[in-house]
Amino acid sequence: MPEGLAVLKWDDELGPIVTSKTPKRLKIGLDPTTSMRVYGIATLGETEESQKPGFSSLAFDDFKLAVYYGGLNMHLKGQPSMVFLVLHPEEDPDVYKDALPEIATQIFLNAEDEEYTKMVPTLYKQISRYTQMTPEQQQASILSDPVRRSIIQTLMKNGTVQSADLEKLIFEEVGKKIDVDIVLRPLVKMGLIATGWVEGLSSEVVYLTRALFMLRTVSQDTVRLVRQSDMPKDVIDSYLQSSKQYHHEYISRLRNDLFKTVWSEAEDIGNLMLDFEAYDLIQALRKGPVEKTELPDLTNLSASKINKKLGTLRRFKIVTTIKDEHKREYVILRCNPEIVTIYPEWLIQRTVDQYNSETIANQQAMHYLEVLKNSHPSQAAIIAKIDVE
Amino acid sequence: MIREMHIFKEGQTLFKDIIVENRDLETDSVMMLVSTSAKKLQEWKIDSMEIERYRFVYMNSHDTQFILTMDRQASLHKVNEAMMSLVSQFMTVFESNLESDEWKSTDFSLFEIGFRKIVGKIPIKLCLAGHGGTGKTTLLELATLPSRGPPQEYVPTFFGDKALLKADFDPYIFSIFDLGGQDRFVQEWGKIIRAGNLVVIVTDSTENNMEWTKRVAYPVLKTELPYARAIALANKQDLPGAMSPEEVSQKLGVPAYGMQANQRDFRDRWLDLLRRLAFEEIDFAIVGEIAETE
């Protein structure tokens, strides 16, 4: 566990100052000489034209620092621009390479009216868990974030958008002006979007390369294991019947309104996947049906915690519990919440249509078609082969 | 750095506190000009105007004009905040007096305590500029860590360092920035020195150092801090062949003062120079007006 988390901003009269920290007693790593040095390392050679926000790590005699710097723009405006994670000398800062930028982004996005100061203790508690996130949970974090979810939704409809328009869209969505670049960084890193400049356009252009959404799939493993289990036949039949009914209805909903069905519950399910206790239960149940009394051993959660989380999972129709005649209670996945990324094939025709109707700039459409061509799964394999050769 | 405050109503001065006098401009005429502009402002709006190296920040409330005189180079944002606090404090105590004719017989001089307290919350930013090895870090430590004693070996400062200094400067405190003097860091000074009020150009009193200061340091300082006040320190006066302060002054075009930063005895002189520079009691130059010398 790190020693603490601190947020710093540049004050013209005072230099780097700590605006928020947790725990309150944290002092190590925050002295003026160290913070000036870290500012120096982060900003050395940087100009307003060549912003270089990013992660860096530093080792001192008594401590280490993992640092995320938000860029010269934030520095010069006197906004929070640096997040320090203070570590023991034996800790490896690189463990926090993915988690710290995510935590810092939450802080920078809530810089207005210093809202972030209330969030810092919670974010600090979350940081260790962030390092344990599976790739699936990292994707879920996109779906649970209203701004990023809205960006993905827009891009899944239109494929490409200028970042200036995206800024307006975000403003309408969340009611405040935020730095689009910060929001997009993890999406670029996950390979969901690409950005680029197009001649004649005044702002950067954002392109969707992989669509991301959440589906409730039938867990074939669960069905097979239920069939093979030594559960009473009436329990097996009851489960299979209710599961079949459930998925039948779900597929009908998808057919009726795919977009609405996929997005209406993305936030809730995304949040559930990020709830480590609920996620541990889902992971345990993905391996097959379980008698409720076995769950404490399988998940290291207390019985009361399991009851609470199962209640939530039942409410969101992810698990079902069935009792047999001997009052033994079985917990089974009703559906498998699955976050999927797919190649957005439908956007090829959509882009052609937008080109023909001139709803987007010709250069932008051409560039996006090129991006789609290069990111096509068949093309990606060829490029990878050429790279290897 | 806030230098003065004036409060006017119906052409009469209700309150005046001058910490550092403006000797370049005719104060009465300037105040008349600024208060005329202030009268036109909406209630609680803040505006400012710049004349030479000064900035006049003004506000109008209850038909009363509040004017702060500050160094043009200092941070306007903080002075605006200070203005809001000052006027709020003033209104808390005197609002009822202003709403009747009582103000004509009210003694507002007690407001000086509140004014000076708020002035002290904005530190005077002092930048120690000079080539590596001229003694900037030693000067920073001599001022802020007197018990430590001068450093025994030269360790180049990476990027910069900073420390707060509270001494006999009431109502002011100093925020001292030691700027990394290696050539690669000089190009980074712009990120550190914004809103600097005072510049102390530190030299090791050698011919080579004069040339470096004019060639490398001056362009950055003149671009970033044209209205700041500057003096030079002819440091290392104990070394054989050191140029005298007068020679340094002549070479750099800035009033120079002798110093031996590695001697603890020089602390009082160093602090006295800082105090007198802040209160404009010694000769200094304005950075943007430093003449090119051979």
Side-chain angles (χ1 to χ4, degrees), chain B residues 125-138:
Chain B
K125 183 170 179 176
L126 167 82
C127 302
L128 300 176
H131 202 191
T134 50
K136 298 180 297 301
T137 305
T138 311

Side-chain angles (χ1 to χ4, degrees), chain A residues 10-17 32-37 39-41 43-47 72 75-78, chain B residues 1 74-75 78 122-125 158-164 175 177-178 184-185 188 191-195 197:
Chain A
W10 181 268
D11 179 288
D12 277 343
E13 270 79 18
L14 297 168
I17 54 168
T33 304
T34 303
S35 51
M36 275 291 279
R37 252 186 232 175
Y39 258 90
I41 289 167
T43 67
L44 208 60
E46 189 190 25
T47 65
L72 191 60
H75 168 152
L76 295 177
K77 282 184 191 160
Chain B
M1 172 182 162
S75 149
K78 283 208 179 141
I122 306 176
I124 296 181
K125 183 170 179 176
F158 181 90
F159 189 64
D161 200 355
K162 62 134 196 177
L164 275 181
S175 177
F177 285 72
D178 162 19
R184 65 181 173 136
F185 295 130
E188 306 291 324
K191 291 170 191 160
I192 308 178
I193 64 180
R194 263 193 340 168
N197 303 102

Side-chain angles (χ1 to χ4, degrees), chain B residues 189-254:
Chain B
W189 285 0
K191 291 170 191 160
I192 308 178
I193 64 180
R194 263 193 340 168
N197 303 102
L198 311 176
V199 177
V200 173
I201 298 161
V202 184
T203 76
D204 60 8
S205 308
T206 62
E207 192 74 48
N208 279 347
N209 187 233
M210 301 299 117
E211 189 273 326
W212 182 93
T213 303
K214 287 190 283 188
R215 181 174 51 82
V216 183
Y218 273 12
V220 181
L221 293 172
K222 285 186 173 192
T223 306
E224 300 292 338
L225 299 176
Y227 302 106
R229 280 167 269 163
I231 58 167
L233 283 190
N235 195 22
K236 307 198 179 183
Q237 285 294 301
D238 52 328
L239 294 185
M243 294 165 76
S244 69
E246 292 72 26
E247 285 173 300
V248 170
S249 178
Q250 202 176 5
K251 290 275 180 190
L252 293 181
V254 175

Side-chain angles (χ1 to χ4, degrees), chain B residues 27-163:
Chain B
T27 303
D28 289 345
S29 313
V30 172
M31 284 303 137
M32 193 179 290
L33 173 75
V34 180
S35 64
T36 307
S37 292
K39 276 179 199 167
K40 295 173 192 162
L41 273 186
Q42 278 180 3
E43 189 88 354
W44 291 99
K45 284 256 179 193
I46 298 179
D47 206 345
S48 66
M49 69 169 76
E50 294 147 5
I51 305 175
E52 296 187 6
R53 64 186 175 99
Y54 307 99
R55 181 178 272 133
F56 300 91
V57 179
Y58 51 91
M59 186 169 171
N60 189 36
S61 180
H62 290 67
D63 292 323
T64 308
Q65 295 77 51
F66 298 82
I67 304 170
L68 289 173
T69 307
M70 62 182 277
D71 277 5
R72 181 167 175 174
Q73 202 72 67
S75 149
L76 179 59
H77 172 69
K78 283 208 179 141
V79 176
N80 282 348
E81 281 180 356
M83 174 67 102
M84 291 301 281
S85 304
L86 283 165
V87 177
S88 302
Q89 266 189 23
F90 188 86
M91 288 303 168
T92 307
V93 183
F94 300 115
E95 190 171 21
S96 58
N97 305 56
L98 295 176
E99 284 171 349
S100 66
D101 272 353
E102 232 181 293
W103 64 269
K104 290 177 181 166
S105 57
T106 303
D107 176 11
F108 294 96
S109 61
L110 275 178
F111 186 60
E112 183 185 309
I113 301 165
F115 166 61
R116 292 203 170 209
K117 210 171 172 183
I118 287 179
V119 167
K121 286 183 179 167
I122 306 176
I124 296 181
K125 183 170 179 176
L126 167 82
C127 302
L128 300 176
H131 202 191
T134 50
K136 298 180 297 301
T137 305
T138 311
L139 282 161
L140 179 72
E141 294 187 357
L142 183 66
T144 58
L145 297 165
S147 57
R148 186 183 282 185
Q152 296 304 306
E153 55 178 318
Y154 170 57
V155 180
T157 300
F158 181 90
F159 189 64
D161 200 355
K162 62 134 196 177

Side-chain angles (χ1 to χ4, degrees), chain B residues 173-185:
Chain B
I173 57 167
F174 276 78
S175 177
I176 306 182
F177 285 72
D178 162 19
L179 310 177
Q182 308 296 305
D183 283 21
R184 65 181 173 136
F185 295 130

